[in-house]
Amino acid sequence: MIHVPVLLQEVVRFLDPKAGKVIIDATAGAGGHTEEFLRRGAQVLAIDRDPEAIKYLKKSYGSQVINHKLVLAQGNFANIGEIAQKKGFSRVDGILFDLGISSDQLADAKRGFAFAKVGPLDMRMDPNLEVTAYDLVNNFDERRLYEIFSTYGQEKFSRAIARAICRARQIAPINSTQRLANIIREVYGKKNIRTKLDCATKSFLALRIVVNSELINLENALPQTIEILKKGGRLAIVSFHSLEDGLVKRFFKQEKQLLVLTKKPVTPGASEILKNPRSRSAKLRVAEKI
Ligand SMILES: C[S@@+](CC[C@H](N)C(=O)[O-])C[C@H]1O[C@@H](n2cnc3c(N)ncnc32)[C@H](O)[C@@H]1O
């Protein structure tokens, strides 16, 4: 599946990739943004914690890797300072974070991200992580599950879903995306609620955030970017979740060395949302190091 890069033109407008510029793509995924940075002549360090993404980038952009226009790094952006230093990118013109998962990860049933596919309850972006969604769903007590669904999913039926999971797993461990999704759908069904989104959307998102420590990683990464950016360098962050966006907004406000360039977050227009529904909740915030 091709990953359509979100808010590509807007990211390009702010980061202005061109020959002589050095950019870190901290969430390279299928290389949608990286490809455009390279096409415009910039040198790119592409980081992703998913080894499958790095393998794919190596295969797709091999010649750019050979001529050092593209440098690849498998790792967690929570260690962006160390990764950048190791790869010789310790002073850069731009850094992009395009948070969340890629279409490739979602499309691959065995990764366990998709409630619409039958797969194991996994959800790890990096297969070396020790805890999977299966572990959370089958071992956490009702209260912790409730907290996960309400905090990270803002799921209004968190309590009922947590209870239904605990009841269902007494019969047999919940080991597939399909069984979990059906348990959640049944909760909605009993309440006679119809929704536009699949009823499992918010709960799956919440589990994914916890399995991959997504908010903690972002919180750890942000302060490190200041060290890596040159004066005048820009930090662009595309987020899809209000907790992520809040974190970015607060960081931009607090950090004295940053000038905020987006008073309000930039969001996709109707035509982008029509072409790429995944973009519908995207918010881009950009700041410049002064
Ligand atoms: C939305 S996709 C990026 C898509 C990419 N911009 C494109 O256009 O093809 C997000 C990517 O970030 C990666 N990712 C998420 N959290 C990460 C982290 N903490 N460190 C490194 N990569 C991460 C995921 O594995 C995924 O491939």
Side-chain angles (χ1 to χ4, degrees), residues 29-65:
H33 293 93
T34 282
E35 178 172 287
E36 188 63 16
F37 299 159
L38 291 169
R39 200 182 67 76
R40 290 172 180 262
Q43 192 196 11
V44 181
L45 167 61
I47 302 171
D48 204 292
R49 71 187 306 193
D50 186 344
E52 288 294 320
I54 297 298
K55 222 193 281 171
Y56 171 81
L57 293 168
K58 206 181 220 166
K59 211 167 108 198
S60 308
Y61 303 100
S63 59
Q64 306 272 36
V65 173

Side-chain angles (χ1 to χ4, degrees), residues 2-6 8 25-35 47-51 53-54 56-57 61 73-79 83 96-105 111 113 124-126 208 212-214 216-218 221 238 240 278:
I2 292 174
H3 184 98
V4 184
V6 169
L8 181 64
D25 184 346
T27 52
H33 293 93
T34 282
E35 178 172 287
I47 302 171
D48 204 292
R49 71 187 306 193
D50 186 344
I54 297 298
Y56 171 81
L57 293 168
Y61 303 100
Q74 194 252 318
N76 186 339
F77 62 52
N79 308 315
I83 297 171
L96 170 68
F97 290 81
D98 173 21
L99 299 166
I101 53 169
S102 67
S103 312
D104 292 325
Q105 289 166 327
R111 303 296 299 266
F113 289 109
R124 290 169 301 169
M125 291 181 193
D126 176 352
R208 196 199 85 201
N212 297 287
S213 310
E214 293 181 38
I216 301 167
N217 289 332
L218 182 61
V238 180
F240 295 83
R278 195 186 83 84

